[in-house]
Amino acid sequence: MGILDGKRILVSGVTLDTGIGFHVARIAQQEGAKVVVSNYGRAMSLTRRVIKKLDPVPALLELDVTNESHLAGLADELRKHVDGLDGVVHSLAFAPATALGGNFLTTPWPDVATALQVSAYSFAALTMACKPLFGSDPSVVGLTFDARVSWPVYDWMGVSKAALESTSRYLARYLGPEGVRVNVVAAGPLETLAKRSISGAEEFNDVWADRAPLGWDPTDMAPTARAVVALLSDFFPRTTGEMIHVDGGVHAMGA
């Protein structure tokens, strides 16, 4: 018996097996969940290959969270594979290169808008697109990099993550009366595709090596994925609007 036994979970944004989403899907399956994953465009071919490492191989849906028709049709597409949803994982983020790497003061609005739409607004859009399939006590979980402070080179993605964190709290407020829990997990720096795309982000590894009292392995996705799975389970029945840190303790340490 796993902690997600019988639960139906959508994990959005699964691309590579070095991503958090893949490991959430893997551990969720180990804990008894029926998992559906999503991606879109050219990345779909990567996802098709990587999910063959999962047992059973989950259904793959095409979902571009900036495409209104994709969102409008998501519930019907999900019904082809599951008869409801108990959990949704938002593992999505994107910012153009002009919005990262120290370009904060010169980033044009269209690129900022893209970062905000994909990385923050989509949390609400995805949740509402899935809502018609929610069973009792559903859980929605997003992923962030603690945006309560500014970080070097993170720039408009940091702003987008702050918006994501705030969005989770407003979703918790408005959907709580219907029994929906909404939380985010704040991970330390991990060697994901997203991190590798940010010039200068490798410096975070040095910070965590110096300051994490529990230590930090940037190649180990399992601690973060396990936290997501725990929030998807019934073990946090009255927790919502929360940000759970999985960062080796850095968030609690002074400079």
Side-chain angles (χ1 to χ4, degrees), residues 149-152 203-216 247-255:
V149 298
S150 65
W151 296 102
E203 296 176 16
F204 288 121
N205 293 349
D206 296 332
V207 173
W208 259 254
D210 290 339
R211 294 181 57 195
L214 290 177
W216 186 253
D247 66 350
V250 167
H251 73 281
M253 300 298 108

Side-chain angles (χ1 to χ4, degrees), residues 118-129:
V118 177
S119 307
Y121 177 76
S122 67
F123 194 29
L126 176 64
T127 300
M128 295 307 294

Side-chain angles (χ1 to χ4, degrees), residues 97-115:
T98 55
L100 300 161
N103 297 310
F104 183 85
L105 298 177
T106 57
T107 308
W109 166 245
D111 292 347
V112 172
T114 295

Side-chain angles (χ1 to χ4, degrees), residues 195-243:
K195 178 172 175 280
R196 292 196 297 271
S197 69
I198 304 173
S199 176
E202 63 277 1
E203 296 176 16
F204 288 121
N205 293 349
D206 296 332
V207 173
W208 259 254
D210 290 339
R211 294 181 57 195
L214 290 177
W216 186 253
D217 181 354
T219 67
D220 186 3
M221 311 290 162
T224 301
R226 288 185 180 279
V228 173
V229 168
L231 286 169
L232 291 169
S233 79
D234 297 329
F235 278 62
F236 288 84
R238 290 295 175 266
T239 298
T240 196
E242 186 61 89
M243 180 163 67

